[in-house]
């Protein structure tokens, strides 16, 4: 490779990395349509919500923050930033969509299909609903 070829290669690589970073920051994470139809088997079940809070503290708060604001200590430096679970953007999604995201994961967030049972992931959905309530017992 001569100098010009090297320069062109460097520019191409830089543009690729830059666009990958921009895409990561701007494209919203959307669950597939059929996820919306999946019903929450523990909806309005207070015991399940309380269990969800415990799981959230153990597995999620490190990135999403204790109150779900997306400000956990391990989340500050991530791109994209962890979602604010109290926000309208999250609360406007169906239980099925939120469940699908917890199940599937998306880097830098892991999939929770293996470490957590189906029911535990639904319990987390219940607790995320609590985080969206104004003065809830978070
Ligand atoms: C390593 C840090 C990390 C941990 C731990 C983590 N998350 Fe996330 N989470 C993220 C990041 C970063 C995003 C944003 C991903 C994106 O938008 O591309 C995210 C996004 C989400 C979303 C989707 C928000 C949206 O855009 O619709 C949900 C739901 C979610 N997390 C739930 C959880 C739950 C529940 C747990 C615990 C079981 C958890 N997360 C643990 C980092 C984390």
């Amino acid at each position: 490779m001569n100098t010009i070829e090297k320069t062109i290669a460097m520019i191409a690589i830089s543009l690729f990395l830059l666009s990958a970073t921009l895409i990561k920051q701007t494209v919203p994470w959307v669950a597939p349509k059929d996820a919306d139809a999946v019903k929450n088997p523990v909806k309005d079940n207070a015991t399940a919500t309380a269990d969800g809070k415990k799981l959230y503290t153990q597995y999620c708060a490190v990135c999403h923050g204790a109150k779900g604001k997306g400000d956990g200590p391990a989340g500050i430096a991530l791109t994209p930033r962890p979602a604010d679970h109290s926000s309208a953007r999250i609360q406007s999604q169906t239980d099925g969509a939120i469940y699908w995201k917890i199940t599937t994961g998306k880097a830098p967030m892991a999939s929770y299909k293996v470490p957590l049972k189906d029911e535990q992931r639904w319990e987390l959905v219940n607790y995320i609903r609590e985080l969206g309530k104004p003065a809830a017992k978070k």
Side-chain angles (χ1 to χ4, degrees), residues 17-83:
L17 291 175
L18 178 68
S19 61
T21 308
L22 290 175
I23 287 166
K24 257 166 85 182
Q25 281 170 350
T26 52
V27 176
W29 185 10
V30 182
K33 270 272 153 279
D34 54 0
D36 290 337
V38 184
K39 291 277 168 276
N40 181 347
V42 295
K43 191 171 173 56
D44 298 328
N45 177 327
T47 311
T49 307
D51 289 343
K53 179 176 183 173
K54 288 183 204 142
L55 290 167
Y56 195 89
T57 306
Q58 189 180 347
Y59 289 95
C60 321
V62 64
C63 285
H64 288 279
K67 307 252 187 240
K69 295 278 181 200
D71 57 358
I76 309 282
L78 295 178
T79 305
R81 288 287 298 274

Side-chain angles (χ1 to χ4, degrees), residues 59-60 63-64 80 82-83 85 89-90 93 101 106 109 112:
Y59 289 95
C60 321
C63 285
H64 288 279
H85 289 151
R89 194 177 66 77
I90 302 303
Q93 297 178 34
K101 289 179 180 180
K106 178 170 174 289
M109 179 176 143
Y112 287 89

